[in-house]
Amino acid sequence: MGKPTITDLARAAGVSVTTVSHAFSGRRHVEPETRRRIEALAEEIGYRPNHRAQRLRTGRAGSIALVSSMPFAVAAGPSRLGFLMEIAAAAAVTAFSRGISLCLVPPLGPRDSLEALEVDGAIVVEPERDDPVLDFFSDRGVNIVCIGRAPGRDDLPFVDLQSGATARLLLDHLFSGNSNVGLITGQQRRNSYIEMEAAYAARIEETGASPTAIRIDENGGEQAAAEAAERLLRAEPSISALCVPVDAFATGVLDAARALGRRVPEDLRLATRYDGMRAKLATPPLTAVDLHLDHVAAAAVDLLLAHLGDGATTPQALAPPTLVVRPSSTASKRSNSARSPDGRSRA
Amino acid sequence: MGKPTITDLARAAGVSVTTVSHAFSGRRHVEPETRRRIEALAEEIGYRPNHRAQRLRTGRAGSIALVSSMPFAVAAGPSRLGFLMEIAAAAAVTAFSRGISLCLVPPLGPRDSLEALEVDGAIVVEPERDDPVLDFFSDRGVNIVCIGRAPGRDDLPFVDLQSGATARLLLDHLFSGNSNVGLITGQQRRNSYIEMEAAYAARIEETGASPTAIRIDENGGEQAAAEAAERLLRAEPSISALCVPVDAFATGVLDAARALGRRVPEDLRLATRYDGMRAKLATPPLTAVDLHLDHVAAAAVDLLLAHLGDGATTPQALAPPTLVVRPSSTASKRSNSARSPDGRSRA
DNA sequence: GCGTTCAAGCAAAACGATTTGCAAAAGGTA
DNA sequence: TACCTTTTGCAAATCGTTTTGCTTGAACGC
């Protein structure tokens, strides 16, 4: 015969299945001595509750999904992967520590391939406006939590990526060098771009400078950014600093600068958002923002769980994003002795 | 009332639940016209089969796990993450295209935290000898497929990482420059280290050179490697090339070389294994091996599925690993015009 | 007209747990 | 003793499928 069931265990212990169930779940009191006997016996005969049966009965799936709204395979590639995967790793750890597992969901191609998915809730990373992923889960009655506000969906709970603060951090830094600052964001309408553009517009308004902001299709990746940046820098040679939140775009800008013979940071100061491998290992290393993605991921898991009414651990407050200054943006007059000059030591 | 069940659908269609079930599964013939009516009606009333019930009945979980035997959070950190996550992304895509989902499993801390996991099978990435992860799944009767042979577990199916070929590729390249080649591997007993060490020993035997091989605890990460490499290079100043399969160790070696004033590649040639961000973006970019991890991941998923008797897609043959020569190992006499000199263009 | 076969569909038994309502025993009070 | 309350445990219903026999009715050969 197969694996022992709760019935086998009950028979062995000389009690009913109800009692066994209660002994494990604690939903009702059972005589401590009885419980101990049951537990010992369970261990002995190797009983383990059947999750599939539990799930049918309770209606819980015991797992959540982590979804990127951006294709894995698309050009933004390894870098974007870094962002998502840093979240994935932390989310997996948190989820498992809460007793649920985490499914990594690739972008939905043919819509029905996601049918297989069976989850209690989903964490969607930086959705764009009208993101089909959101509809997919909404349709199925799956709880959603976003990382980064979902544009146009104020009904959805989210963990704040603090994009406004991040934007101001970067812009404060770049504008401080008395530079003529340009902006390169993504074409997709993600909240972080929207807030970045708003902060930039506010800055421009304040200083009376002339705005130089362009958008690039994320799918073009590094190369599209390099081409666009080259055109931009030719057209507007007075630009002396660029805020480029997408790190793949930022390295593209580095290529463009090299092609144009403009040194970074002496002739062009540069800063990006996600402080990943790419920013850290670029030449020169890129000024970036530590978004505390591990905390963000953990908070997202806990927020989702709270919405599921499960483990009501109160999501703790998030630390504000912090600027990590690296050589790519040190003001040209000053020496390279800014904090964390090499950007590699803490990798 | 809640979501429509198969019973509701059967009633609506004026047939029995059996017929509905057969209409969807195709296990028995149903009148084409009846089937069409059922399908249309299903669409109309919004019926979707309950996965939990299906799973209880069929005994399939509909998902597989991807497990790293190495802690996420441990010092090897972002780099190791790259390796695992590159596999995770590709595996997720393949798995979903086969109609099953993929759970990302963090390392097991307290053993029971993994209890929540409910999968049909597990892919374990580069297990070490006596890896507890393997026992965990074996105990539970979960099918296992490894990426990279599991040392001491010849019973387990695996997707070959072709570590022997990889080792020879790297060693051929380094020895070709008439260099005095040293080796730095990891202390853990993973198959790739074992095969690398064997290939190195064979080389030494052949050439009559004196061996200089050390092992470093993976948990020490980049810094431990830097310290060990510095000691090694001081003790054996004649070493003119280092084979360092772990990329985090390789960048550590770069630091050590810098500290000792040895230029790479002029004074010290260097090559690593995993061709990730780290290798590509290092200064100078590191010679590495393209392991075709995306194919490996896909093959692992298909192999696992084959063992589950599910989608018996024959795993296609794997492409051999290919050397990607970068400036870190170009022989000192030659110019830097080896193929792919900058290592960034194809990122 | 009689057996045989086949197609199409149905009723009911699993799958293995949780949960509800009820019963027996135990203790407390009047 | 009678009555009420609490504790402890049980039997049976339930979750929504899949799957196994079993019934029809029709087609077929003879």
Side-chain angles (χ1 to χ4, degrees), chain A residues 5-6 21 28 50 57:
Chain A
T5 74
I6 197 174
S21 177
R28 278 200 197 167
N50 181 318
R57 186 57 232 235

Side-chain angles (χ1 to χ4, degrees), chain A residues 18-40:
Chain A
T18 314
T19 307
V20 175
S21 177
H22 289 331
F24 283 123
S25 70
R27 299 267 305 168
R28 278 200 197 167
H29 189 81
V30 325
E31 188 72 4
E33 201 226 331
T34 313
R35 149 175 319 195
R36 256 189 301 279
R37 198 174 71 242
I38 291 175
E39 279 167 355

Side-chain angles (χ1 to χ4, degrees), chain B residues 43-67:
Chain B
E43 178 72 23
E44 188 186 324
I45 69 175
Y47 167 75
R48 255 192 287 272
N50 181 317
H51 286 125
R52 290 182 274 263
Q54 286 180 317
R55 280 163 200 183
L56 170 57
R57 184 58 230 231
T58 62
R60 307 211 92 84
S63 63
I64 60 178
L66 179 70
V67 192

Side-chain angles (χ1 to χ4, degrees), chain A residues 49-69:
Chain A
N50 181 318
H51 286 125
R52 289 182 274 262
Q54 285 179 319
R55 280 162 200 183
L56 170 57
R57 186 57 232 235
T58 62
R60 307 210 91 83
S63 63
I64 59 178
L66 179 71
V67 192
S68 168
S69 91

